[in-house]
Amino acid sequence: MNILVCISRVPDTASRVIVGSDGKTIDPQGIKYIVNPYDEIALEEGLRLREKNGGTVTALTVGGESSKEQLRTALAMGVDSAVIVKTDSSFDSFFVANNISEYAKSINPDIILLGKQSVDFDSLQVPSILGELLGLPSVSVVTKLAIEGNTVTAEREIEGGKEVVETSLPCIISAQKGLNDPRYPKLPDIMKAKSKPIEEKDAVNSDERVTVMGIEIPLKKRAGIILGGEDKDIDEVVRLLHEESKVI
Amino acid sequence: MIDFSFTEEQNMLREMVRDFANNELKPIAQKIDEEESIPDYIIDKIRELGLLGASFPIEYGGSGFGEVGYCIMQEEIARACLSTATFIGAHQSIGTNSIYIGSTEEQRQRFLPALTSGEKIAAYALTEPQAGSDAFNLKTRAELDGNEWILNGEKMWITNAPFANVFAVFARTKLGISLFYVPAETPGISIGAPEKKMGIRGSKTASVTFDNARIPQDYLIGREGKAFIYAMKTLDAGRIGLGAAALGPMKELLELSTVYAKTRKQFDQPIANFQAVQFMLADMAAEIYGCESMLYRTANDYDHGVVTSRQAAIVKLRCSEALDKIADLAIQVHGGMGYSRELSIERVYRDSRINRIFEGTNEIQKLVIANDLIKRNGKM
């Protein structure tokens, strides 16, 4: 089985994010970067598929030089090869999907696994755009996956319940929490990862279709105030709306 | 200029062990303390991840992370659970390491892979009822009878003894002190009941008695009569590793104390606003910075083969004292909550105390340091 897993470098969710001086990116100072947690689930699923069916797992990332760190983690977890499609400019979801698509065409994977979203931009677009570009079925938010021959059965999360869908290989699967528990890389594999090569490709450029105009930290929620039903409470609500929230 | 940054794989090691410690160890650390036992499935996971041979060269089944990598790992494990760090340390840093240090090349090939993979768990058996700090005075004897050694004597305070598969035993022979690789199933070995301890209660400590225990002649490690040097070299690594196991909890306690000080309110404001509390946090940070700096400098020297016993003794002395002080300050910042068993702070306070005693008491560390200074006219 030829398995392609796409991963991205994201700030650790435990990091405290500060908006950078350009107002459009985050200040990388003091931020720890990790493999996007949903992509880690995709990696684990890829490794399990290989363990069951044989074949190879390739980890792919689209990003700058520093994204190699995340590929090293993928190598330490056990993928067979790692590829970086390098770009130094900012990029949107189409750019990423288009570059994954270009690479995928060169290796014709049986299955492409990725996280349902990256926890930095949360666009949730790449798996679907990729499906369109490659003309492949794309099943998103998958919590259970079974492959028998060419038949793929996937359970996916929908609002308030589950949906079971069937499709066939080759296809694209985007992973949701619950699909599996990603393994910890073992020490000998961490050591071996550093000597494994990382293949480098130049990115194919595309016009930016979505431009970030600005980002901001959400305002801290203030503690709510609970008032009673007396006349004086109603007066207080009016006063608060007028003086504190300034909405009337 | 010197580069103080960790390598990419050292950072990955830290990430992995921290994830493991946070997800698997921290949630059950209190249970490990209360039930005085590390669950088997945790030991299995530690073995599978390769943590039991982290420091040793790849050719003997280790992962080649050296002493620096070992310290990173122990820091993160001890941050979550000092009992587990003690178990790992006794197996790796002193148990297996003494065999590694003393062994001939052939013995390394033969004995190490099962230990570095964690298939077998080791214990370091040096201390005796009458020979603790005065290790040279040990009474356990080994006599050659045909092609077998016969061991007689008693060892005390042996960490991992109740479940170890292999003992690295120091015993007196005709030519002086010698080291033996002793399988636990050897007839004539009996293990005492586990000690009831103040802290690190999840690690198991017991006495080991040898009553005409017979082992093959070639289980004498390295050269006969040379093992006192092996023991002291092993303790250098053990003392550095102990520093790491003290550093991890220091950092944990500072983080817990800082967050608590920012949320706990008195006199209508967070206690972090009060200088009395700020000074405690600052003192903790200053201790940690000093300990971390000396620890990794010394571990790096160890990996380059240029460490001295004086350096290792200083690390052990300073780090063990610092954790005691920080645990005390952390309880003070937390007040009643720090004293309560609901939080982990009182456990670290108890766990910490052993560090000033084992691997050589701090008074012995001072003797090691002073003897070296006197020999060198005070030159560092």
Side-chain angles (χ1 to χ4, degrees), chain A residues 12 16 32-34 40 68-70 72-74 76 184-191 193-194, chain B residues 8-9 12-13 15-20 23-24 48-51 54 58 63-65 73 262:
Chain A
D12 189 345
R16 266 194 69 175
K32 205 180 84 185
Y33 287 89
I34 56 169
E40 230 173 25
K68 281 185 180 172
E69 267 178 43
Q70 281 61 47
R72 293 268 174 232
T73 303
Y184 303 102
K186 293 178 181 173
L187 259 60
D189 297 331
I190 292 177
M191 226 19 168
K194 80 169 171 181
Chain B
E8 203 179 331
E9 59 274 12
M12 278 170 72
L13 169 73
E15 294 296 308
M16 185 280 273
V17 183
R18 181 174 296 181
D19 282 351
F20 170 74
N23 298 338
E24 319 271 341
E48 282 162 23
L49 291 173
L51 302 187
I58 293 163
S63 301
F65 276 98
M73 175 186 90
K262 284 168 74 176

Side-chain angles (χ1 to χ4, degrees), chain B residues 78-141:
Chain B
R79 204 184 236 268
C81 176
L82 263 154
S83 287
T84 306
T86 304
F87 151 69
I88 295 175
H91 163 76
Q92 183 165 185
S93 185
I94 52 177
T96 302
N97 200 28
S98 60
I99 292 164
Y100 171 72
I101 287 171
S103 279
T104 62
E105 179 58 32
E106 184 274 325
Q107 286 176 324
R108 284 182 177 182
Q109 302 280 358
R110 181 152 49 116
F111 293 134
L112 286 174
L115 292 168
T116 52
S117 67
E119 182 196 328
K120 291 182 176 166
I121 300 297
Y124 179 81
L126 174 67
T127 302
E128 298 185 357
Q130 305 303 326
S133 297
D134 185 13
F136 201 71
N137 191 34
L138 59 86
K139 299 278 188 274
T140 297
R141 302 194 67 84

